[in-house]
Amino acid sequence: MKNPRLPASQPNSALGSPSPDLFVALRDLLLTYKADLLVVHDDAGHFYANCRNADAKGKAQFFGAVKASGRRHSFHFMPVYTFPELLVGISPAPEEAYARKVLLQLRCLGPGSSA
C-alpha cells in the first residue's frame, strides 16, 4: 500500500524524519571537491552537483547527489565508475549495491536499532 500524500506542513511525518546529520555528512563528503563542482541544488534535504568541466559533447557531467526522503537517504557518487578503487574497504552490502548501480540508499535507524 502506498503512503498517502502528506500536507506540506507535515512533510515525512508518517515516514519518520530524515536524519539531518546523515544528510549533512554525505553533503559535506561531496563538498570536499567544491572547487571542481558546479552546485545545481543545495536545499534542505537535496544536494546535486555537476563537474565544472563538460564532457566531450559539451554536456555537464554529473558528479553526485544526496536526497533525504522519509528515513532513507539516496547517495549518488559517479567517480566510483572511473575510480573503482574508491570502493576498497567499504562493507559488502554497499559494495554490492554499487556493483548494480551508482545509487546507494541509506536507511536511518533510531538509537539502539539494528538493520
Side-chain angles (χ1 to χ4, degrees), residues 3-27:
N3 291 324
R5 285 234 178 243
L6 299 171
S9 62
Q10 299 174 352
N12 301 324
S13 61
L15 301 174
S17 299
S19 168
D21 294 338
L22 178 59
F23 175 81
V24 169
L26 293 171
R27 177 185 170 273

Side-chain angles (χ1 to χ4, degrees), residues 34 36-41 48-53 60:
K34 186 175 182 173
D36 298 317
L37 299 178
L38 291 172
V39 177
V40 178
H41 296 284
Y48 184 104
N50 289 328
C51 299
R52 279 200 188 277
N53 299 328

Side-chain angles (χ1 to χ4, degrees), residues 2 5 18 22 28 30-31 35 43 46 55 60 77 82-83 92 95 98 102 105-106 110:
K2 292 185 177 182
R5 285 234 178 243
L22 178 59
D28 288 349
L30 295 176
L31 282 176
D43 304 319
H46 185 210
D55 67 9
F77 189 59
T82 306
F83 304 102
E95 188 172 1
Y98 265 110
V102 75
Q105 288 192 341
L106 304 169

Side-chain angles (χ1 to χ4, degrees), residues 13-115:
S13 61
L15 301 174
S17 299
S19 168
D21 294 338
L22 178 59
F23 175 81
V24 169
L26 293 171
R27 177 185 170 273
D28 288 349
L29 177 68
L30 295 176
L31 282 176
T32 302
Y33 307 98
K34 186 175 182 173
D36 298 317
L37 299 178
L38 291 172
V39 177
V40 178
H41 296 284
D42 193 2
D43 304 319
H46 185 210
F47 179 84
Y48 184 104
N50 289 328
C51 299
R52 279 200 188 277
N53 299 328
D55 67 9
K57 295 180 181 178
K59 291 185 176 184
Q61 294 179 354
F62 175 55
F63 178 78
V66 182
K67 186 166 185 178
S69 176
R71 293 188 314 182
R72 294 187 184 264
H73 287 64
S74 298
F75 180 63
H76 303 264
F77 189 59
M78 295 305 289
V80 298
Y81 281 114
T82 306
F83 304 102
E85 62 272 15
L86 292 170
L87 297 175
V88 173
I90 67 170
S91 66
E95 188 172 1
E96 290 172 12
Y98 265 110
R100 291 190 305 269
K101 56 186 177 179
V102 75
L103 168 64
L104 175 61
Q105 288 192 341
L106 304 169
R107 186 172 180 181
C108 299
L109 301 173
S113 298
S114 60

